[in-house]
Structure formats: C-alpha cells, structure tokens
Amino acid sequence: EIGQLTELFFLGLNDNSLTGPIPNGIENLASLSELAFWRNTLTGTVPTELGSIEGLSALKLSQNRLSFFNFSSSWPFLLSLDLRDNQINQTLSTSLDGLSALTELFLSSNRIPGTIPSAIGELVRLERLHLANNLISGTVPDDLLFLTRLTELDLSGNVGQHCFAYSSCDDEPSYCCEEGGLRRCSQSRVYYSNGINIFYCYGDVGLTGTIPAGFGGYRYLELLDLSDNSFSGTIPLELGDLSRLDHLDLSRNYLSETIPSQLGLLADATIRLGGTKRDVSSFDSPPVAPLSLCAVEGFNLANDTSWCPPERNYLADVYQLAKGREWTIDGEDEQETKWVHEYNQHCKWYGVSCNDDGVVTELQLASNSLSGRISSALGKLTSLEILDLHDNNLQGIIPTELGSLTNLISARFSYNTLTGTLPSGFINHSNLSLLHLHGNRLGGWA
C-alpha cells in the first residue's frame, strides 16, 4: 500500500486519469511535504486525516471533481491549499483558525455559495487569496483588511444565482441546472422543476456594497481583481497608493463613472475598468477618464475615445513642451477652462475651440508667454483651421508634422524665436489665406 512509503516527501500523481476518492493510507506518509494530484477526476471529500502529517505544507488538488473540504478541521502545518476547478459546493467555514499557517488559498472556480466569513481575518499569514468564479455574495467583511501581507487578491466572477430547495433563503443552498448549466435566476422569487424536485430561486448578484478604501493599505499587493461582481459607489482614491500593483481589474461592476485621478499613479500597472456600454446621450459633456490615467500604457480604456479623447492628449503635449505652467493664462483654477486639469473637457480649455462634434478647430494662444518648443502633436489636430501662436517666446523649429494640416485657414507664428525652415507642406495648403512668420529667425522653405 501507498501508506508504507513512510520516507516519501513528495507525491505527485498529477495529470493522470485517477478516479474515485483520494486513496486511504496517505495520512501514514509521515515525511510527506507536498501532495500533488491536480488534473485528475478525483471525487468526494478531502480526508481530514491528512492534516495530521506534520510536514505536509502543500496540498495541490486543482482540476478534479472534489466536493468537500473541512475548513473547520486542523491543518496546522499547511502553507498552500489549492482546490481550484473542483465542485466544492459548501459555504466557507465561520471558523478558519485550523488553517492559520496558510500563505496561499486557492478556491477559484468552484460552487462556493454564501458570504466571505469574518473568520477570513484569522489567516493573517495569507499572501495569495483567490476566491474567483464562485457564488459568493454579500459585502466584503472588514476583517479581510487584517490580511496585510496579501500580494494577490482575486474575488472576481462571483455574479451568479443561488437556488434553494425550499421557500426560505436560510435553507441550505442547492443548485438547479438547465441546458446551459447552472441556472441564473431572476431577482424575484421564481420556481423551477427539474422533474423531481421544485426549486425556489433567489437572485444573487455576487459581491455588493462599496469597494473598501482600506484595500489601499495593502502595501505588498500586486494583483487586485474585483471584476464581474456588483460593487457600487465610487472607486476608492486610496487604490492609487498601491505602489507595487501590477494588475487592477474593476470591470463589469456598477461603479460611478467618475474615476479617481490617483489611479494615474499606477503607471506600470494593467488597469481594467468599464465593461458595460456607455449611454452618453444624457450628458452634455460625458465624464472622461483622468488625463494622467489615459497616459498609462496598461489602461484598457486608453484607446476608447469616449473616455480618453486623443485630442486632449495631443493638447496636453502642447502644454508640456510650451512650458504651460509659465503661461500668462492657462485657464482659471478649478474651472472648466483650466488646461491639463484631470477631468476638464479639452474643448473648454482656454484658447481652444471645437466644432459640434467635439473636434478641435481653433487654437489661439497669442501673447501668452509660451516658451519652449512647438509640439509635433499639433499635426494630429487634423481639423485645425486657426492656429495663433504669435507674440510669444517659442524656440526651435516649426515641426514638419504641421505641414499636414490641410484645413488651416490662418496660421500665425510671428514674433517668436523660431529657427530652421518652414515645412514644405505649407506650400500645398490650398485653404491657407493668412500666414505670418515675421519676427523670427527662419531661413525659408524646407
């Protein structure tokens, strides 16, 4: 028998075709430190006797058909428990002190119903907690904030419905299935018969309430995934304090459309928001994402023009290269005319005019103490008709890209300190009726 291999410290039978329950006798392997039976077809209960193996630190049983694990029993030496992709259909225990040594708990992709118990706060050594793709509902308990060592927290994908065999939500949950798999019930009570029993179904909508601001205190957190739930309210600005974060996913919830500018501090992270179609018809000016966040390469809405208008980014580059902080006027503080304000619509910035489609047609910043250089990003304002930069202190060349602005009617560069040559593209501007270049150090056509 396998139990006679008392000196065995690693047992890996993963990726085979094992069926039935976990075999007896493994609890006799006194030297065992890791048990790996993942990707088989094991069924039934995880034997509690395994907890008596003093050296057993890792239990890797993912991708099976196991249905029960006694979370209340004692596993004093276990550091890593992986039960992903099984058929666990029990609520999490209200007592988890028997698992107090755990640093990793993976329970994603099961059928775990109910709420996250406050006892989760007892697992103070946890570094990785994955409860995704279950049927967990309710609010996030405050006790979760005690897990200050967390590097990964995945609570995504808990939007689903529970079905009860009786008429009260207090009864032990059961699961009713249709052709498409696990039944998704409506918010109102309905009943459904599978030919044998009648099930009363109550709609649950995953995790609800607001996202705790305390999540911003997870100083080691690298992954936070709360997608596909029913969180509401505002996104906590404290999430911008997660300086080690690599991945943030809040998509497909019911969060406010106002995105905190502090998320722009997560410059190296992948940030996923949104996920539902926006109805902008009710807004005179639809909310936009913070300007700094639109500059984050990993932001999934950076290329969505309703959230991150590209012309706003182009104008921001104009501001930076022309030393906008030194301008005489760059809009009024806290007003819609303020340049590079995180939330201001760029069409209302001082000196900027747009057509009815929200496309920039005029940029008039004459006599405004502009210095530095002219940004080549101006060449991307393809509908620009009037450009007035005269009587400033701009230096360097007129970027070649400005030669592609074929809609220009009027361009004034006079009385600056510009050098080089005028881009040859200006020769072909059939709409150009006024071009002022005097008072510079230009040397002719390029």
Side-chain angles (χ1 to χ4, degrees), residues 150-153 215-216 218-226 236 238-250 262-263 265-273 296:
L150 282 181
T151 61
E152 297 180 9
L153 177 60
F215 280 177
Y218 287 140
R219 57 185 300 187
Y220 304 110
L221 203 62
E222 298 173 2
L223 179 147
L224 177 60
D225 193 342
L226 306 177
E238 289 83 0
L239 296 185
D241 296 332
L242 299 173
S243 59
R244 299 191 182 189
L245 204 64
D246 291 326
H247 183 89
L248 172 65
D249 195 342
L250 306 179
Q262 286 79 1
L263 294 190
L265 299 173
L266 306 177
D268 298 323
T270 297
I271 302 172
R272 302 187 64 82
L273 305 176
V296 173

Side-chain angles (χ1 to χ4, degrees), residues 43 51 69 108 121 142 147 161 200 202 224 233 295 303 322 326 335 340 349 362 375 434 437:
T43 58
F69 180 90
S108 297
D142 292 339
L147 308 184
Q161 282 73 31
Y200 289 87
Y202 299 84
L224 177 60
N303 295 320
E326 300 175 5
Q335 300 296 318
V340 297
W349 291 358
E362 298 182 17
S375 170
L434 186 150
L437 301 170

Side-chain angles (χ1 to χ4, degrees), residues 149-162:
R149 297 185 183 183
L150 282 181
T151 61
E152 297 180 9
L153 177 60
D154 188 353
L155 304 178
S156 63
N158 276 293
V159 171
Q161 282 73 31
H162 300 184

